[in-house]
């Protein structure tokens, strides 16, 4: 299927590795020019070069922390008028809520709620004026099924989801959609780091725990960043203009509900 977005421009945040990289690769393979961000310059440049080589699209790499005003300003200076915005950032650390300070909460809210809202605010009216826009927020399965030790993530991402639920109904008449992609377990550095945290508590090795978690998933495995990217690219396609305010759960069927 031709997704109809060849020649469009996307700002893909937090995209040197993992799910953001999967989205960047999938959009590039559809002929979308990219601005990608991450804090670490070396990995970001390597990803940008790999995407340029494999797809031939233009890829601009902007190193910076997207959760800061400076990081967002740099990304927007390189990409002031994106047709597609993929909001992503690292997730907050796991822990016990008794140990989290107000500062810890503000950090989580900044990265996983307020940064996407700031970037939407900066780019939405241009999309509306041009009569095309696709915004995808990478959140978490935790929005539907909270993860006990990831309370900072549960809280911040649900706040973003609630805000977008209202906004997305106001933009769709202009062919601008906003949706959430909710990853369950995808095999990335982030997932492996969470395994290390939980394995210690359970007296297992991270590898043992990863194998047990993969086995426990109805799909008997973790998801891949390519699968994630493909779903993201479809939500960004011309064919997805009637899909807005939705939260697509990608978890191999782990969420046990009917809806
Ligand atoms: P990952 O493999 O660790 O990759 C994270 C990417 O984001 C890296 O490129 C990283 O590069 C960049 N990044 C992190 N913080 C950033 C910031 N403040 N500014 C700019 N770039 C930043 O993580 P992932 O698994 O893809 O996870 C992506 C998001 O999905 C996270 O919020 C995570 O909590 C969420 N999630 C993941 C899973 C899963 O199974 N993987 C499940 C549910 C939710 P630098 O470190 O160089 O900045």
């Amino acid at each position: 299927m031709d997704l109809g977005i060849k020649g469009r421009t996307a700002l893909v945040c937090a995209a040197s590795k993992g799910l953001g990289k999967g989205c960047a690769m999938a959009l590039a393979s559809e002929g979308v020019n990219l601005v990608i961000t991450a804090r670490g310059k070396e990995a970001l440049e390597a990803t940008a070069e790999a995407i340029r080589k494999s797809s031939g699209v233009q890829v601009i790499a902007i190193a910076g922390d997207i959760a800061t005003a400076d990081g967002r300003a740099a990304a927007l200076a390189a990409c002031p008028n994106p047709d597609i915005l993929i909001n992503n950032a690292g997730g907050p650390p796991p822990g016990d809520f008794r140990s989290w300070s107000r500062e810890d909460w503000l950090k989580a809210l900044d990265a996983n709620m307020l940064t996407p809202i700031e970037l939407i605010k900066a780019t939405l009216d241009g999309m509306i004026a041009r009569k095309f826009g696709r915004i995808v927020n990478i959140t978490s399965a935790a929005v539907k099924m909270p993860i006990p030790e990831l309370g900072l993530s549960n809280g911040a991402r649900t706040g973003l989801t609630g805000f977008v639920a209202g906004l997305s109904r106001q933009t769709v008449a202009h062919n601008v959609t906003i949706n959430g992609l909710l990853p369950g377990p995808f095999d990335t550095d982030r997932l492996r780091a969470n395994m290390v945290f939980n394995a210690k508590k359970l007296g297992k090795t991270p590898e043992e725990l990863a194998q047990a978690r993969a086995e426990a998933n109805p799909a008997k495995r973790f998801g891949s960043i390519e699968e994630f990217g493909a779903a993201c690219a479809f939500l960004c396609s011309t064919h997805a203009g009637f899909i807005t305010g939705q939260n697509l759960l990608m978890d191999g069927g782990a969420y046990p509900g009917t809806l």
Side-chain angles (χ1 to χ4, degrees), residues 13-20 37-40 64-67 88-92 112 138-141 153 157 183-191:
C13 304
S16 65
K17 299 179 194 165
L19 303 176
T37 85
R39 292 164 303 181
D65 185 342
I66 202 69
N88 186 31
N112 299 115
I138 299 178
T139 61
S140 172
S153 169
R157 296 184 198 280
F186 279 81
D187 202 353
T188 66
D189 288 0
R190 160 88 177 169
L191 177 132

Side-chain angles (χ1 to χ4, degrees), residues 10-16 24 33-52 57-66 71 74-79:
L11 171 56
V12 188
C13 304
S16 65
N33 295 311
L34 303 174
V35 172
I36 61 172
T37 85
R39 292 164 303 181
K41 199 170 172 158
E42 207 177 310
L44 182 66
E45 291 290 354
T47 295
E49 189 50 25
I51 295 176
R52 278 182 210 114
V57 300
Q58 187 187 79
V59 186
I60 298 172
I62 301 291
D65 185 342
I66 202 69
L76 289 167
C79 193

Side-chain angles (χ1 to χ4, degrees), residues 124 128 161-180 242-247:
L124 184 74
I128 288 174
T161 304
F163 167 73
V164 164
L167 181 64
S168 56
R169 271 83 185 179
Q170 300 166 51
T171 64
V172 65
H174 306 283
N175 192 23
V176 177
T177 66
I178 317 177
N179 292 290
F242 208 54
I243 303 174
T244 200
Q246 300 306 301
N247 290 286

